[in-house]
Amino acid sequence: MARAVRVRSPRGAGERLGAALVAVAAAVLVVGVLQSLLRSWVFLAVVSAGCLLSAARGPALDRSRTRRLAALRIPLATVDAMDDRAFEFALRDLLVRDGWSARQVGRHGDQAADVIGHHPRLGRIVLQAKHTRVAAKVGVHVMYQVKGTAGPAHGADVAVVVTNGGLTRDAKAWGDRHAVHWLDRARLAAWAEGGVPLEEVLRLRRTRR
């Protein structure tokens, strides 16, 4: 049988001092471990609370942005003051206002697509943005570019050239013949400033059921 181990009480001042030091060290170690665990639980609680708060606020923020976009109106004077990139983001937001899921994609080598969107009934749309001086006009060569890439490169059902200026007569006529829609200054005003949905401005036909 195993013999019971008897713990001998410390004898003498030296042994008692050593035992006291060991007890103090053990107590410090235990306190440190407890503090570490407490900090870990507090940290985890704070992180968990933050995640829950973000999750709760996320839908509210999305709904707030949706409400703002639903009432979006952009005066032409504001459009004229934009740079090229801001104009592209403004067109994206206008699409979202009208029920499209849209993103800005314009960059070097974008193959004549600055904004791409999708609509459950109208399909996929590609916008080519031409921000320019009010008196300037977009030429027919832009229509050629958009026609050549909108379908083959981007799978678009609807291709649109948008400008805050004008388009030449040849550009409009060529676009009408070859299904490249266009928004000149007057049509842009109806869409951006007047709040008329794009599908009504361009008289788009439903491609999906």
Side-chain angles (χ1 to χ4, degrees):
M1 291 179 61
R3 296 176 59 185
V5 178
R6 298 180 61 185
V7 178
R8 182 174 61 82
S9 300
R11 299 174 181 175
E15 289 188 2
R16 284 195 293 272
L17 178 60
L21 291 176
V22 170
V24 169
V28 170
L29 180 61
V30 170
V31 170
V33 171
L34 290 175
Q35 288 178 337
S36 177
L37 290 174
L38 179 61
R39 285 195 297 268
S40 298
W41 280 107
V42 170
F43 174 75
L44 291 174
V46 170
V47 170
S48 300
C51 292
L52 291 173
L53 182 60
S54 297
R57 291 182 62 195
L61 291 174
D62 290 342
R63 288 193 295 270
S64 176
R65 182 173 184 272
T66 300
R67 285 195 298 269
R68 290 198 306 273
L69 288 178
L72 180 63
R73 301 291 186 273
I74 307 178
L76 286 185
T78 302
V79 171
D80 294 338
M82 294 177 178
D83 60 19
D84 293 349
R85 190 169 179 81
F87 185 48
E88 293 169 8
F89 279 107
L91 298 181
R92 177 204 63 184
D93 288 346
L94 288 168
L95 281 179
V96 173
R97 181 199 71 186
D98 292 348
W100 303 75
S101 58
R103 67 187 191 279
Q104 185 272 347
V105 296
R107 60 182 63 85
H108 180 70
D110 57 25
Q111 299 187 79
D114 293 314
V115 181
I116 294 178
H118 183 270
H119 193 281
R121 292 183 293 102
L122 302 170
R124 188 174 179 86
I125 193 170
V126 168
L127 302 185
Q128 171 69 357
K130 290 297 180 183
H131 189 270
T132 185
R133 298 186 308 276
V134 174
K137 291 188 176 183
V138 175
V140 69
H141 66 283
V142 175
M143 297 294 189
Y144 302 157
Q145 294 171 356
V146 173
K147 181 65 175 179
T149 59
H154 305 294
D157 300 298
V158 182
V160 189
V161 175
V162 187
T163 180
N164 62 315
L167 293 95
T168 64
R169 184 167 52 187
D170 288 343
K172 293 179 180 179
W174 197 93
D176 291 341
R177 287 197 304 270
H178 298 282
V180 178
H181 300 275
W182 48 269
L183 287 176
D184 60 1
R185 189 171 181 82
R187 291 183 176 182
L188 179 61
W191 183 35
E193 195 167 11
V196 181
L198 185 63
E199 61 182 289
E200 294 182 20
V201 175
L202 297 179
R203 298 180 182 179
L204 299 179
R205 295 181 179 179
R206 180 182 302 187
T207 60
R208 309 287 170 83
R209 293 189 177 185

